[in-house]
Amino acid sequence: MTMEIICDFDGTVARPDTVDELLEALADPAWRGIEERWRRGEIDSRACMARQIPLLRGGWTAIARFLDERVTVHPSFAPFAAWCAGRGIALRIASEGIDRVIHHLLAREHIAVSSVWASRLAVGTDGTLSLDFSHASGRTYCGAALCKCETFRPSPFRASPMRPIRVLIGDGRSDYCAASRADVVFARAMLLDHCRAEQIRCIPFESFDTVRTVLEHSLTPASERAPIRAAASGSRRQLAETHES
């Protein structure tokens, strides 16, 4: 069995959400009005972020200082990323957040991942900030700044020997449409509520230790598997059934 993992960043790896915290701390108050327009459905997420990021004050220097003082990476993520690398599992960050923010935090924690797919931060000669979405295909299913469904293109086959099992790890609205295209979903917070409401099979988690335990068990030959506790058996059985269906 082979697999590839798409992992959200803000609220999943980094806690709290970096974009929300940056806006609260550094942006002109006008960002709140833009946020309300997004919440009312008047603009999509891409338009919302494109208008909010230029309102951040202090340039990249202020952003980097804030990240180092206020934002943490969940302690279970570094060993999880190392485990993925040791297993040869592609671990890709796909985020509606900001690429430079993600790279900064991963470098600070000495964490390596296969790739990072996020909105690109552009810094003008005068220090002004903007977002560049040119590397996205332009196709969007949900109005997200970068639609994660681009990473899970529709396939006539569910998990099969013809392609890796596609695993999604996430926590929020930007993961909703990708959850319906993934083979296995690990969910927390808003994504967990959404999956339950939409009857999308998912595995609840709070720590990447849980994700690793479930995936590690699925990759171990049946003859070598240790007995598992009843409380965890449902999650692990779900992954096995997904692979076999």
Side-chain angles (χ1 to χ4, degrees):
M1 182 194 305
T2 60
M3 64 178 63
E4 60 179 351
I5 300 173
I6 300 298
C7 185
D8 176 54
F9 192 78
D10 289 305
T12 301
V13 174
R15 303 181 190 180
D17 185 294
T18 60
V19 175
D20 288 348
E21 293 297 306
L22 286 168
L23 291 171
E24 288 280 0
L26 302 177
D28 183 287
W31 76 269
R32 296 183 184 278
I34 299 169
E35 188 83 0
E36 283 304 311
R37 293 192 62 196
W38 169 69
R39 292 186 185 281
R40 292 194 298 266
E42 296 174 7
I43 57 175
D44 63 19
S45 181
R46 180 178 295 195
C48 179
M49 287 190 63
R51 297 174 190 182
Q52 289 177 327
I53 296 306
L55 298 176
L56 290 171
R57 296 170 292 199
W60 174 252
T61 300
I63 292 173
R65 183 185 306 115
F66 177 85
L67 294 174
D68 289 339
E69 292 175 353
R70 298 281 297 276
V71 177
T72 61
V73 170
H74 197 279
S76 64
F77 185 69
F80 175 70
W83 175 79
C84 288
R87 283 279 194 167
I89 298 171
L91 173 60
R92 300 185 173 92
I93 298 294
S95 172
E96 265 204 303
I98 302 169
D99 64 343
R100 192 167 177 180
V101 167
I102 296 170
H103 285 296
H104 178 86
L105 291 170
L106 292 178
R108 187 190 74 187
E109 304 295 324
H110 306 290
I111 298 173
V113 297
S114 301
S115 62
V116 172
W117 191 70
S119 306
R120 291 175 177 168
L121 183 68
V123 182
T125 55
D126 58 354
T128 57
L129 304 175
S130 61
L131 288 182
D132 174 12
F133 305 104
S134 62
H135 60 302
S137 71
R139 181 179 60 256
T140 179
Y141 299 90
C142 60
L146 290 176
C147 181
K148 295 178 187 179
C149 289
E150 290 190 43
T151 65
F152 285 155
R153 291 183 173 86
S155 169
F157 303 102
R158 294 294 287 174
S160 74
M162 298 184 66
R163 65 162 175 78
I165 288 187
R166 304 185 295 196
V167 178
L168 174 71
I169 308 172
D171 83 314
R173 292 177 62 170
S174 67
D175 303 301
Y176 286 4
C177 67
S180 66
R181 289 173 164 77
D183 299 312
V184 179
V185 179
F186 290 90
R188 63 178 298 273
M190 290 175 61
L191 179 61
L192 180 58
D193 293 338
H194 170 78
C195 288
R196 287 171 171 169
E198 298 299 319
Q199 298 184 328
I200 297 171
R201 296 180 68 185
C202 69
I203 302 170
F205 83 103
E206 284 298 330
S207 166
F208 286 92
D209 294 339
T210 299
V211 180
R212 172 178 171 172
T213 297
V214 174
L215 296 182
E216 191 164 45
H217 186 267
S218 73
L219 294 170
T220 303
S223 60
E224 300 175 15
R225 291 177 186 170
I228 57 177
R229 298 190 306 272
S233 63
S235 296
R236 297 170 184 175
R237 186 180 303 114
Q238 175 181 323
L239 183 57
E241 290 172 352
T242 300
H243 177 59
E244 292 165 2
S245 60

